[in-house]
C-alpha cells in the first residue's frame, strides 16, 4: 500500500513538472511555490496521506496522545506579564484549544491554584466570527492604561489583524483603532494616538514584505489621513516607532531597520527626528536617564576602543550634548557573552552566558557610579530573568531550567539572594536514569565547538545508541539547556540520546561567534555541525547507522547542507520549515530580510559561495542519502513552504526515499494549537525511532 502511494506521488510530481507557478522561472518544481494552488495542495494532501499511513498506527497514536497530555497539562507554569494591577497570561489546554487571555493578581498568582479571570476567549471569538484565529500578542497602553491593541493571525502566519480592546469592559472597542491583515507594527503614544506602520498600499512595504512607512494615527480619523513620521528605503528591512512611557522619562523613538544587523535609531522631539549617533550594527535603548549601547563590532570613540559584545552606558542628556564618556557595564571574555538585560525600577539585571551556562549580575546606580553584584543563583543550565514591573517594582521573575530538572519559576528582589518559589513544571519523565555531559569537537579549521549530550547513565559506548543531533547556527541565536517533557518521553525514554550543538552562527559566545559564519563564511557552521557528528561517532556514542539530525528554519538549512555534504554520516534527517533553495530564498516571502545573514544570490560573486552549499542545488541522483522527513506549514508566511516542497519533489524524482508532511495551519511554528503540535512531534519521533533503532 505504501509502495503504491509513493509511486502515485512520483507520478503526480512528474505530471505537474511542466506547470510553472509565476516566479518559478525555469525550475521544473517551481509550480510548488504556488502556496494555495489546487495542484500544489493536491500534491501536499497526497504526501501527507502517505506519510501518515506509514508513520501512523498504534505506536504513533499512543505517543501523540502522551505528547498532547503534556502540552495540555494544567500544571504547566503559566508565565505572566504585569500590566497595571494585573498579571496577564495566554493559556491553551484541552478545553481551550485556541486559548484564553486571562488575568489574576500577584497575591492570587502566588497560590498553587490561582483564580483567573478570562479576558478574551479565543475559541469563542473564532466561533462567533467564523475565523481561524490564532493569538499573535498584545500591546497595552503603559504604564497603567486600560486600552490594548490585540493582534490576531489567521492560521498562525506573521500577517495579523489588529484591534483595540478595553480591559475594563473586557470587549473590543467599537469604532476603535483597527488594522486589516498585514505585517504591521503598532505602538501607543497616548490613549488617542498610536504609531502605525502597515500596508498603506502600493510602495508602502519593503522588499522583505514589512512596513517601511511609520505614521501617527489619531483616534477618529481615517487611516488614510494619518500623518507620516518616517519613511525607510524600499530595500530596508522595516520601520517602526514606539514610546517609552516611563514616568519622568517619556521619549518617542523611531527605528529604521536596514537589515537584520544594522539600523538607525531616532529620537522624536517636537515633531523632528534626531539621529542617535551609534554604530549602525549596535543596539541602543534608553533606561530612564541612561542610554545603553550593545556592540556587535569594536567601537573606537572618545579616545577609547570598546570590544564587540560590550554593553555601554552613558547619561542620555549628556550623550545628546555630544559627550561620549561611556562606562562599560559588560565586556566579554573568550568564554562569556551577554545573553540578556532586564530592567527593574532601580536596577539592571544582566544574564551572562559563560561556557553556555548562565549567571546573573545585578547593576545599580549609586549617585553617579554603577554598583555591581553577582546574584547567587543556581549554577546549572539556563537562567531567564524578566522584571515584574519595570516602573513600580524591583521584583523580578527568575526561571531556572536544564535538560533534566523541570523548569522552576521564582520571584526575586533586587539587592537580595533569597527568592520565593512560585511555580514549577511537573516532572514529565524520570530523570534519574540520565546524565548530561558537555564535550567539544574540533572543527575543520581547528575551532573547538561545544555540545551537550543527554543520555542514559548505563548506556554503552558501543556505537549503537539511537542519537539525534540538533542544531541551528544562525542569527546570533544561542541554544541552551532546557527541560522538555516531549524529548524525555518521545526520545530519551525510548532509549535515545539527545545532542545539542553550539555551532558558529549562533550567539553562544557573542557577536564574534555569530559573525564567524556570516555570508561567505557560512560553511564554517556546517563544518562545525559535521565535526560534532564525527566526534559523537569517534567517542562511540553512536554510529552513522544510528545517528539522525534535526533542525528547523535556518536549522532546516543546516541539516539540508549536512545531508548533501556528508550523507555518509547519518541515517535520518528531520528538516523542519526549512530554507533550501538558496538561489531564490530572497524572492520568497520574508527572504530578502536575511541577505545580511546569507548574502545576495543575484551577485555572481556571492552566489559562488552560496551555491556551493544550497541544498536544492547540491542533491544528485547518483548519490545515496539518508531518509528525510520534511515538515512545513502552508500558513508559514515567513519561510516559504515551497522550499520543503521543491526539495522533497526533486529528491523523489531522483529516486531518493523521502517523506513529506505539511500542516495546513501553524505559521512558522509549524502548528497552531496543541493538537497539531502533538501530531507533528509524534510523526517526527516515530520516524526517528523507525530509522535509528
Amino acid at each position: 500500500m505504501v509502495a503504491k502511494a509513493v509511486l502515485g506521488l512520483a507520478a503526480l510530481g512528474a505530471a505537474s513538472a511542466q506547470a510553472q507557478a509565476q516566479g518559478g522561472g525555469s525550475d521544473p518544481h517551481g509550480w510548488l511555490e504556488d502556496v494555495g494552488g489546487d495542484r500544489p495542495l493536491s500534491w501536499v494532501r497526497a504526501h501527507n496521506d502517505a506519510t501518515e499511513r506509514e508513520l501512523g498506527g498504534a505506536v504513533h497514536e499512543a505517543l501523540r496522545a502522551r505528547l498532547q497530555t503534556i502540552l495540555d497539562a494544567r500544571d504547566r507554569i503559566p508565565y505572566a506579564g504585569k500590566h497595571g494591577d494585573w498579571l496577564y497570561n495566554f493559556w491553551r489546554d484541552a478545553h481551550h484549544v485556541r486559548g484564553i487571555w486571562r488575568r489574576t493578581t500577584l497575591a492570587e498568582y502566588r497560590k498553587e491554584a490561582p483564580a483567573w479571570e478570562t479576558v478574551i476567549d479565543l475559541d469563542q471569538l473564532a466561533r462567533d466570527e467564523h475565523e481561524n484565529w490564532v493569538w499573535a500578542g498584545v500591546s497595552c497602553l503603559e504604564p497603567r492604561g486600560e486600552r490594548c491593541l490585540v493582534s490576531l493571525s489567521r492560521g498562525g502566519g506573521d500577517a495579523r489583524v489588529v484591534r483595540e480592546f478595553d480591559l475594563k469592559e473586557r470587549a473590543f472597542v467599537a469604532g476603535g483603532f483597527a488594522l486589516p491583515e498585514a505585517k504591521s507594527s503598532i505602538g501607543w503614544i497616548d490613549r488617542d494616538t498610536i504609531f502605525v506602520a502597515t500596508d498603506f498600499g502600493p510602495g508602502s512595504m519593503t522588499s522583505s514584505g514589512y512596513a517601511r512607512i511609520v505614521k501617527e494615527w489619531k483616534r477618529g480619523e481615517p487611516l488614510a489621513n494619518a500623518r507620516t513620521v518616517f519613511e525607510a528605503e524600499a530595500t530596508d528591512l522595516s520601520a517602526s516607532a514606539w514610546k517609552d512611557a516611563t514616568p519622568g522619562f517619556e521619549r518617542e523613538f523611531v527605528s529604521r531597520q536596514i537589515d537584520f544587523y544594522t539600523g538607525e535609531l531616532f529620537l522624536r522631539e517636537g515633531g523632528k527626528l534626531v539621529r542617535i549617533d551609534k554604530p549602525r550594527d549596535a543596539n541602543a535603548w534608553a533606561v530612564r536617564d541612561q542610554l545603553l549601547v550593545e556592540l556587535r563590532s569594536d567601537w573606537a570613540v572618545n579616545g577609547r576602543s570598546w570590544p564587540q559584545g560590550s554593553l555601554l552606558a552613558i547619561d542620555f542628556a549628556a550623550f545628546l550634548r555630544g559627550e561620549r564618556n561611556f562606562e562599560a557595564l559588560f565586556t566579554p571574555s573568550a568564554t562569556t557573552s551577554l545573553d540578556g538585560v532586564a530592567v527593574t525600577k532601580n536596577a539592571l539585571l544582566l544574564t551572562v552566558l559563560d561556557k553556555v551556562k548562565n549567571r546573573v549580575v545585578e547593576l545599580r546606580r549609586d549617585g553617579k557610579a554603577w554598583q555591581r553584584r553577582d546574584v547567587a543563583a543556581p549554577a546549572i543550565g539556563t537562567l531567564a530573568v524578566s522584571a515584574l514591573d519595570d516602573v513600580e517594582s524591583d521584583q523580578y521573575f527568575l526561571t531556572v531550567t536544564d535538560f533534566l530538572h523541570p523548569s522552576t519559576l521564582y520571584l526575586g528582589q533586587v539587592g537580595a539572594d533569597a527568592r520565593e518559589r512560585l511555580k514549577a513544571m511537573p516532572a514529565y519523565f524520570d530523570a534519574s536514569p540520565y546524565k548530561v555531559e558537555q564535550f567539544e569537537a574540533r572543527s575543520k579549521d581547528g575551532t573547538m565547538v561545544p555540545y551537550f549530550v543527554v543520555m542514559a547513565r548505563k548506556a554503552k559506548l558501543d556505537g549503537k545508541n539511537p542519537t539525534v543531533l540538533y542544531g541551528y547556527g544562525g542569527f546570533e541565536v544561542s541554544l541552551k539547556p532546557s527541560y522538555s517533557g516531549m524529548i524525555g518521553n518521545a526520545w530519551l525514554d525510548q532509549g535515545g540520546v539527545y545532542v545539542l550543538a553550539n555551532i558558529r552562527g549562533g550567539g553562544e559566545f557573542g557577536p564574534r561567534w555569530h559573525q564567524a559564519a556570516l555570508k561567505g563564511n557560512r560553511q564554517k557552521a556546517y563544518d562545525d555541525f559535521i565535526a560534532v557528528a564525527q566526534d559523537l561517532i569517534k567517542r562511540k556514542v553512536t554510529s552513522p547507522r544510528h545517528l539522525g539530525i534535526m533542525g528547523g528554519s535556518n536549522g532546516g538549512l543546516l541539516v539540508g547542507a549536512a545531508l548533501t555534504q556528508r550523507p555518509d554520516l547519518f541515517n535520518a534527517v528531520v528538516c523542519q520549515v526549512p530554507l533550501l533553495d538558496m538561489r531564490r530564498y530572497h524572492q520568497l516571502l520574508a527572504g530578502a530580510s536575511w541577505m545580511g545573514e546569507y548574502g545576495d544570490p543575484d551577485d555572481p560573486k556571492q552566489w559562488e559561495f552560496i551555491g556551493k552549499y544550497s541544498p536544492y542545488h547540491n542533491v544528485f541522483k547518483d548519490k545515496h542519502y539518508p531518509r528525510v522527513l520534511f515538515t512545513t506549514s502552508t500558513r508559514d508566511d515567513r519561510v516559504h513552504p515551497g522550499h520543503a516542497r521543491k526539495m522533497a519533489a526533486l529528491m523523489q524524482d531522483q529516486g531518493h526515499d523521502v517523506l513529506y508532511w505539511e500542516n495546513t495551519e501553524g505559521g512558522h511554528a509549524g502548528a497552531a494549537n496543541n493538537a497539531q503540535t502533538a501530531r507533528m512531534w509524534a510523526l517526527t519521533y516515530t520516524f526517528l525511532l523507525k530509522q535509528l533503532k
Side-chain angles (χ1 to χ4, degrees), residues 355-421:
K355 296 181 180 178
V356 204
K357 297 174 184 176
N358 283 130
R359 54 187 172 85
V360 177
V361 177
E362 178 184 298
L363 297 171
R364 287 191 287 175
R365 283 185 66 76
D366 182 8
K368 293 186 178 181
W370 288 93
Q371 302 298 318
R372 184 181 306 263
R373 187 180 77 88
D374 290 330
V375 177
I380 57 171
T382 302
L383 306 175
V385 179
S386 61
L388 173 67
D389 186 327
D390 61 357
V391 171
E392 298 181 346
S393 172
D394 274 323
Q395 292 179 300
Y396 61 90
F397 293 120
L398 173 68
T399 302
V400 180
T401 188
D402 67 16
F403 290 112
L404 299 180
H405 297 85
S407 302
T408 304
L409 178 66
Y410 298 91
L411 184 64
Q413 174 73 41
V414 168
D417 289 330
R419 58 185 64 89
E420 177 185 354
R421 183 179 182 275

Side-chain angles (χ1 to χ4, degrees), residues 45-76:
R45 285 190 293 271
H47 279 77
N48 283 0
D49 288 346
T51 298
E52 290 173 8
R53 278 196 297 271
E54 177 173 339
L55 300 180
V59 173
H60 167 270
E61 282 304 311
L63 180 57
R64 183 204 58 75
R66 174 60 181 150
L67 296 184
Q68 184 158 351
T69 297
I70 293 171
L71 292 166
D72 285 340
R74 289 177 173 267
D75 50 1
R76 289 172 290 132

Side-chain angles (χ1 to χ4, degrees), residues 8-69:
L9 295 174
L12 176 61
S16 304
Q18 300 303 315
Q20 304 271 323
Q22 188 174 5
S26 59
D27 182 353
H29 302 289
W31 60 279
L32 287 165
E33 292 180 9
D34 182 8
V35 175
D38 290 340
R39 182 173 286 118
L41 287 181
S42 293
W43 182 93
V44 167
R45 285 190 293 271
H47 279 77
N48 283 0
D49 288 346
T51 298
E52 290 173 8
R53 278 196 297 271
E54 177 173 339
L55 300 180
V59 173
H60 167 270
E61 282 304 311
L63 180 57
R64 183 204 58 75
R66 174 60 181 150
L67 296 184
Q68 184 158 351
T69 297

Side-chain angles (χ1 to χ4, degrees), residues 156-390:
D158 286 352
R160 303 163 180 181
V161 169
V162 180
R163 297 180 187 172
E164 186 178 3
F165 189 84
D166 189 311
L167 290 176
K168 184 178 180 180
E169 300 296 329
R170 285 187 293 164
F172 288 103
V173 178
F177 291 114
L179 292 176
E181 187 176 56
K183 291 184 178 181
S184 303
S185 171
I186 45 89
W188 289 100
I189 299 176
D190 56 42
R191 182 182 172 90
D192 296 316
T193 318
I194 66 171
F195 286 121
V196 56
T198 190
D199 187 347
F200 294 109
S204 66
M205 306 296 280
T206 67
S207 56
S208 298
Y210 297 97
R212 73 171 191 86
I213 301 173
V214 178
K215 297 190 178 187
E216 182 183 287
W217 188 15
K218 295 285 187 181
R219 183 180 301 282
E221 72 177 10
L223 180 59
N225 291 353
R227 183 162 62 94
T228 298
V229 172
F230 177 77
E231 292 192 31
E233 299 295 327
T235 54
D236 288 345
L237 173 56
S238 65
S240 60
W242 66 93
K243 180 179 179 179
D244 180 348
T246 305
F249 301 97
E250 295 88 346
R251 302 183 184 97
E252 295 175 5
F253 292 98
V254 174
S255 171
R256 174 198 176 198
Q257 197 65 36
I258 299 171
D259 60 27
F260 246 79
Y261 308 110
T262 62
E264 294 180 324
L265 181 67
F266 301 90
L267 175 69
R268 187 180 185 232
E269 288 186 313
K272 296 182 179 180
L273 300 183
V274 178
R275 188 173 66 85
I276 300 297
D277 183 24
K278 67 170 186 70
R280 277 191 166 187
D281 66 348
N283 293 323
W285 68 99
V287 178
R288 294 182 171 79
D289 64 340
Q290 298 287 299
L291 176 70
L292 303 188
V293 181
E294 184 179 7
L295 300 179
R296 280 199 178 97
S297 301
D298 295 346
W299 190 25
V301 61
N302 198 37
R304 295 197 61 175
S305 182
W306 304 102
Q308 65 178 165
S310 297
L311 179 67
L312 311 179
I314 190 173
D315 179 87
F316 193 96
F319 180 86
L320 291 182
R321 293 195 300 268
E323 296 182 23
R324 295 295 182 268
N325 53 328
F326 287 98
E327 182 176 355
L329 303 185
F330 173 82
T331 51
S333 70
T335 62
T336 62
S337 63
L338 184 61
D339 197 34
V341 181
V343 180
T344 71
K345 182 179 180 181
N346 295 297
L348 299 177
L349 293 161
L350 309 186
T351 308
V352 177
L353 201 56
D354 191 345
K355 296 181 180 178
V356 204
K357 297 174 184 176
N358 283 130
R359 54 187 172 85
V360 177
V361 177
E362 178 184 298
L363 297 171
R364 287 191 287 175
R365 283 185 66 76
D366 182 8
K368 293 186 178 181
W370 288 93
Q371 302 298 318
R372 184 181 306 263
R373 187 180 77 88
D374 290 330
V375 177
I380 57 171
T382 302
L383 306 175
V385 179
S386 61
L388 173 67
D389 186 327
D390 61 357

Side-chain angles (χ1 to χ4, degrees), residues 506-585:
E508 287 86 349
F509 297 103
R512 68 177 179 85
W513 198 245
H514 169 237
Q515 292 168 16
L518 275 182
K519 295 185 177 180
N521 292 321
R522 198 72 193 174
Q523 182 60 40
K524 292 183 183 297
Y526 311 140
D527 290 342
D528 290 358
F529 196 64
I530 290 167
V532 172
Q534 292 174 318
D535 201 57
L536 289 166
I537 295 168
K538 181 180 178 182
R539 294 177 187 273
K540 295 189 176 180
V541 172
T542 191
S543 61
R545 162 66 183 84
H546 301 285
L547 178 58
I549 52 177
M550 179 163 59
S553 191
N554 173 74
L557 171 59
L558 167 69
V559 299
L563 160 74
T564 55
Q565 293 179 20
R566 289 301 306 272
D568 57 305
L569 291 179
F570 318 109
N571 195 38
V573 178
V574 177
C575 189
Q576 304 162 313
V577 290
L579 287 88
L580 293 167
D581 179 357
M582 299 304 289
R583 187 67 185 87
R584 282 182 47 74
Y585 85 91

